[in-house]
Amino acid sequence: RCSRPASLLGTLESHFGRPWLANERYGPQTPGDLLRLHSQGLASIGQIAAIGEWLLRRDSFDLFMIVVGAAHRIGHYLWDLSQIDEARLGRDELATLRQAMDDVYGACDAAVGRIASAAPAGARIVVYSLHGMGSNSGWTDLFPEIVRRLGLPASGAVRRRGLRDRVFQLRR
């Protein structure tokens, strides 16, 4: 979604379709949400690998950078299954969710291999990963308390400057 030049996005969508990973849905997830996220994420990682291969074979680059962002988002929701009642899941669903992060990291490894194999001989390849992943509910459960501490009206009608001042005061 953040391609340079911006016109490249249309070219990519015509060749590879729209991005497989849907917009993030913050907050607690249902088992069905998590299963969809797992499936979309794996498809997204494969799509990014295909895009990287295609671009590297199509053009010559001084610098080529591609982000496999699905792993980060999926990690927030599938790192642990504490937000769902595992006892209410079927055996296959539970097994899929318990295996989900291994699937994601395996797909990322395969994507890096595909992209690296398409790079020109002698290319310097740098791969990095964010560490310290943990579950993230999106903080939606904290929003009412944030609004209260900022002294904002529940209706949300606030002057911009006043809101900014309150946020910086809270930050200090």
Side-chain angles (χ1 to χ4, degrees), residues 70-83:
H72 181 84
R73 184 188 312 168
I74 293 168
H76 281 304
Y77 297 101
L78 291 171
W79 184 258
D80 68 47
L81 302 178
S82 61
Q83 63 185 311

Side-chain angles (χ1 to χ4, degrees), residues 42-60:
L42 294 176
S44 174
I45 293 166
Q47 185 180 45
I48 288 294
I51 289 170
E53 287 177 306
W54 181 78
L55 286 169
L56 284 166
R57 291 190 173 119
R58 180 187 129 177
D59 294 317
S60 177

Side-chain angles (χ1 to χ4, degrees), residues 5-168:
S7 61
L8 179 59
L9 181 58
T11 302
L12 294 176
E13 285 185 348
S14 70
H15 279 80
F16 301 97
R18 296 192 46 76
W20 271 99
L21 193 59
N23 289 333
E24 186 164 3
R25 198 180 138 271
Y26 296 96
Q29 308 289 305
T30 67
D33 293 334
L34 295 177
L35 290 164
R36 269 187 301 284
L37 180 61
H38 173 251
S39 176
Q40 286 178 357
L42 294 176
S44 174
I45 293 166
Q47 185 180 45
I48 288 294
I51 289 170
E53 287 177 306
W54 181 78
L55 286 169
L56 284 166
R57 291 190 173 119
R58 180 187 129 177
D59 294 317
S60 177
F61 296 91
D62 292 328
L63 174 68
F64 178 83
M65 183 173 77
I66 194 163
V67 177
V68 183
H72 181 84
R73 184 188 312 168
I74 293 168
H76 281 304
Y77 297 101
L78 291 171
W79 184 258
D80 68 47
L81 302 178
S82 61
Q83 63 185 311
I84 60 171
D85 182 359
E86 293 183 25
R88 301 181 103 193
L89 291 176
R91 190 174 51 174
D92 291 342
E93 292 171 322
L94 184 56
T96 297
L97 291 176
R98 285 183 174 164
Q99 178 66 33
M101 288 311 302
D102 288 341
D103 294 344
V104 167
Y105 292 141
C108 287
D109 288 347
V112 168
R114 287 174 61 184
I115 294 166
S117 69
R124 291 183 186 170
I125 298 173
V126 177
V127 177
Y128 72 94
S129 174
L130 300 175
H131 290 11
M133 180 59 69
S135 60
N136 176 3
S137 66
W139 292 14
T140 55
D141 55 321
L142 300 178
F143 186 71
E145 179 63 14
I146 292 170
V147 169
R148 188 191 68 72
R149 286 188 184 197
L150 289 173
L152 303 175
S155 66
V158 177
R159 281 186 7 249
R160 287 272 189 231
R161 183 162 165 71
L163 174 60
R164 181 174 178 226
D165 293 343
R166 289 184 196 140
V167 169
F168 280 118

